[in-house]
C-alpha cells in the first residue's frame, strides 16, 4: 500500500520511467514510430491524501466550492511563454507552436514529471487530454462538470461531444471522478 508521500512519488516515478523506456525503445526500433510519445495525467487517492501527476499537456482540474481550478501545469512552449508573460491566453490559441510540448513520455530519455499533493476538499476531479481543453473553453467545461442534472457518464459524453462539435481533430480523453458525501471518490 502507498501510505506515505515518498512511497507515492517513488511508485509514480518508477512506473512512468518504465513507460518512457518502453515507448522510447520501441520508437528507435521501428522507423515509422520514430519520435512517437504521449502525455500522461493521473491521480492517486489514498485514505490520507490525493496526489496528482502529469507529463505534457494533459490536464487535471479540481472543482472546489470556490472554483474550478486547473491543478496541473502544461509542459509546452505556449505554457512557458505564458508563464514568462510573453504571450496572452488569446494569443496562445492561434500561436504556431501551440501543440509543441517540452515534455512527453517516450520522446526523450529524460522527461519532466510534476507530482503534487492537493487539497482533498474537491467535489470533482477531471482528467483530460488536449482533445478536450484545446477545443472547449474552461467555462463551458466547468458548467458541464457542475451540472447537477447530469450523471457522471452523461457529463463525460457531453464534454466529448462538445469537443467533437468544436472541431475535434485531436484524440479526446476524459475521466471525471466525483467525491461522495462520505469522502470517497
Amino acid at each position: 500500500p502507498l501510505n506515505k508521500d515518498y512511497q507515492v512519488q517513488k511508485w509514480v516515478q518508477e512506473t512512468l520511467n518504465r513507460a518512457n523506456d518502453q515507448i522510447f525503445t520501441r520508437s528507435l526500433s521501428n522507423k515509422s514510430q520514430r519520435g512517437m510519445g504521449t502525455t500522461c495525467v493521473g491521480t492517486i487517492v489514498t485514505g490520507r491524501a490525493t496526489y496528482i501527476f502529469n507529463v505534457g499537456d494533459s490536464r487535471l482540474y479540481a472543482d472546489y466550492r470556490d472554483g474550478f481550478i486547473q491543478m496541473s501545469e502544461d509542459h509546452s512552449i505556449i505554457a512557458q511563454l505564458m508563464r514568462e508573460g510573453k504571450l496572452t491566453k488569446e494569443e496562445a490559441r492561434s500561436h504556431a507552436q501551440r501543440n509543441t510540448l517540452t515534455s512527453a513520455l517516450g520522446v526523450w530519455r529524460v522527461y519532466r514529471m510534476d507530482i503534487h499533493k492537493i487539497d482533498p476538499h474537491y467535489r470533482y476531479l477531471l482528467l483530460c487530454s488536449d482533445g478536450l481543453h484545446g477545443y472547449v473553453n474552461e467555462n463551458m467545461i466547468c458548467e458541464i462538470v457542475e451540472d447537477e442534472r447530469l450523471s457522471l457518464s452523461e457529463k463525460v459524453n457531453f464534454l466529448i461531444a462538445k469537443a467533437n462539435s468544436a472541431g475535434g481533430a485531436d484524440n479526446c480523453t476524459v475521466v471525471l471522478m466525483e467525491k461522495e458525501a462520505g469522502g470517497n471518490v
Side-chain angles (χ1 to χ4, degrees), residues 3-164:
N3 297 328
K4 303 203 181 328
D5 294 349
Y6 75 88
Q7 290 173 315
V8 171
Q9 174 133 6
K10 182 179 180 206
W11 183 85
V12 169
Q13 189 71 64
E14 288 174 354
T15 301
L16 294 184
N17 284 347
R18 281 193 304 276
N20 188 67
D21 290 348
Q22 289 176 2
I23 297 166
F24 187 77
T25 300
R26 185 156 182 185
S27 75
L28 291 178
S29 64
N30 187 332
K31 198 174 195 174
S32 68
Q33 295 176 331
R34 196 136 305 139
M36 75 173 176
T38 189
T39 64
C40 177
V41 65
T43 185
I44 296 176
V45 180
T46 70
R48 300 179 53 213
T50 297
Y51 303 88
I52 65 167
F53 57 92
N54 75 294
V55 178
D57 64 353
S58 286
R59 292 182 181 172
L60 188 139
Y61 293 91
D63 188 47
Y64 291 100
R65 182 174 288 135
D66 61 345
F68 186 74
I69 303 166
Q70 179 183 335
M71 303 300 288
S72 57
E73 183 177 289
D74 291 352
H75 303 150
S76 67
I77 297 286
I78 294 300
Q80 183 64 39
L81 291 171
M82 288 175 62
R83 281 190 295 276
E84 294 170 358
K86 296 177 180 174
L87 201 62
T88 67
K89 202 171 197 175
E90 189 58 42
E91 293 169 327
R93 287 193 182 116
S94 59
H95 196 280
Q97 290 186 299
R98 68 183 171 279
N99 295 321
T100 306
L101 299 177
T102 56
S103 186
L105 292 178
V107 179
W108 306 279
R109 284 219 178 267
V110 177
Y111 62 93
R112 172 182 168 193
M113 186 244 339
D114 292 337
I115 184 166
H116 304 285
K117 184 170 19 173
I118 65 168
D119 179 346
H121 297 99
Y122 50 84
R123 172 78 190 276
Y124 297 100
L125 292 179
L126 172 71
L127 295 80
C128 65
S129 65
D130 64 338
L132 177 66
H133 68 77
Y135 292 89
V136 183
N137 74 50
E138 207 169 282
N139 292 334
M140 177 60 71
I141 294 172
C142 176
E143 276 182 42
I144 294 168
V145 167
E146 292 179 346
D147 190 335
E148 297 299 323
R149 300 167 296 174
L150 301 172
S151 70
L152 283 179
S153 61
E154 289 171 327
K155 291 175 185 186
V156 168
N157 291 335
F158 198 35
L159 289 166
I160 292 170
K162 281 284 189 191
N164 288 337

